[in-house]
Amino acid sequence: MKFSFRPVEGAFYELFTRAAHNLVRGTELLNELSLPGVDVQSVSERLTEVEHDSDAITHELYKKINSTFVTPFDREDIYSLGSQLDDVMDHLEAVGNLLYLYGLTKLPTLPRELHELVNVLDQQAKLTAAAMPKLRALKDLEEYWIECNRLENDGDRAYRMLLVRLFSGEYDALTVLKLKEVADELEAACDAFEHVANTVETIAVKES
C-alpha cells in the first residue's frame, strides 16, 4: 500500500473544477455566435463576465497556495495549472470581443472552419471539466490528456484550412486581417487546452 504525507486539500480541486466549468461556459457562448439573429454584443459582454469570474478564481487559488503550508502536490504545478486554465479563458474572451468589435458577424456567413475550431474548443472544454475532479485521486486521467492532444491536432488542421480559406480571395484584405486575428486566438486557445492537459500529465507522473 502506498502512503502519502501530502494532505488531501479539497479547496484546490474545487477551484480547478470551477475554473474548468467556466471554460465550458465560454465555449458555449462562442457557439451562440453561429445562431441566426444572435445578439453579438450580449455574447461578448457575457464572455467578459465569465473571464472576470475566472480571474477571481485564479486569485483565490494563488492566495490558497500562499496560505497553505503543505499542498496536495507541488506548488509550481498548482500555480501552472491555475495559470494555464486562466490563459484559455483569456483567449476565449478575446475571440468573442474581436468578433463583436470588428463587426465580423455582419458578414453573410462566418467561415465554416471558424465554427469547426469553436467545436474543437467546446470538446476540449468539456473534457477538461470532466477531468479536473479526478485530480483528487489522480486516476483515470490518461485518456483525458491523450484525447485533448488529439483534439488539439484537429484544431491545428481546422486552423490551417481556415488560413487557406482566408487567403483564397473570398474576402477583402481588411476582413482577412480581422479574421486572421480571430483565428490566431482560436488556435492559441486550442494550444492552451493542450498545455493544461500536459501539466495534468506531469502531475500524475510525479505523484504516481
Side-chain angles (χ1 to χ4, degrees):
M1 181 181 294
K2 181 181 176 181
F3 292 93
S4 174
F5 291 102
R6 292 188 185 273
V8 181
E9 174 55 77
F12 288 108
Y13 307 115
E14 290 165 11
L15 289 167
F16 290 140
T17 299
R18 283 169 54 196
H21 279 294
N22 268 355
L23 300 181
V24 175
R25 289 170 63 195
T27 57
E28 286 175 345
L29 284 168
L30 289 182
N31 270 318
E32 286 187 25
L33 295 171
S34 64
L35 300 175
V38 63
D39 185 341
V40 184
Q41 181 176 357
S42 171
V43 171
S44 176
E45 289 173 352
R46 282 180 286 154
L47 270 167
T48 297
E49 290 172 5
V50 176
E51 193 276 333
H52 288 167
D53 188 42
S54 291
D55 280 346
I57 292 169
T58 304
H59 293 148
E60 190 176 344
L61 177 70
Y62 293 166
K63 284 173 62 179
K64 188 67 180 173
I65 294 171
N66 293 330
S67 63
T68 302
F69 182 63
V70 183
T71 54
F73 41 88
D74 286 351
R75 292 173 188 275
E76 294 80 4
D77 292 330
I78 294 174
Y79 182 90
S80 292
L81 186 54
S83 176
Q84 288 162 0
L85 288 165
D86 191 51
D87 287 345
V88 180
M89 191 65 240
D90 289 342
H91 292 303
L92 298 181
E93 184 203 17
V95 171
N97 287 174
L98 290 171
L99 285 169
Y100 167 61
L101 294 171
Y102 284 160
L104 289 168
T105 51
K106 293 186 176 71
L107 294 172
T109 57
L110 288 169
R112 182 190 72 254
E113 296 82 3
L114 189 150
H115 293 302
E116 289 174 358
L117 266 166
V118 172
N119 181 57
V120 169
L121 289 170
D122 191 50
Q123 293 179 69
Q124 285 182 304
K126 289 170 180 171
L127 197 64
T128 302
M132 289 301 106
K134 298 177 182 177
L135 280 171
R136 188 185 295 266
L138 288 173
K139 291 180 180 178
D140 304 317
L141 281 163
E142 184 174 2
E143 185 177 340
Y144 152 66
W145 64 67
I146 290 173
E147 179 63 8
C148 199
N149 289 339
R150 186 195 69 76
L151 285 167
E152 192 274 335
N153 290 332
D154 287 349
D156 278 347
R157 282 190 288 273
Y159 173 72
R160 288 193 292 269
M161 293 309 298
L162 178 54
L163 293 185
V164 170
R165 180 86 170 267
L166 294 184
F167 295 112
S168 68
E170 181 177 347
Y171 301 97
D172 64 81
L174 184 57
T175 300
V176 168
L177 289 173
K178 293 174 179 178
L179 283 171
K180 172 66 164 56
E181 192 170 346
V182 173
D184 288 346
E185 288 290 349
L186 287 166
E187 199 261 345
C190 284
D191 287 346
F193 269 120
E194 185 181 36
H195 296 157
V196 170
N198 290 342
T199 297
V200 170
E201 181 179 8
T202 297
I203 292 167
V205 170
K206 282 184 181 180
E207 298 298 320
S208 62

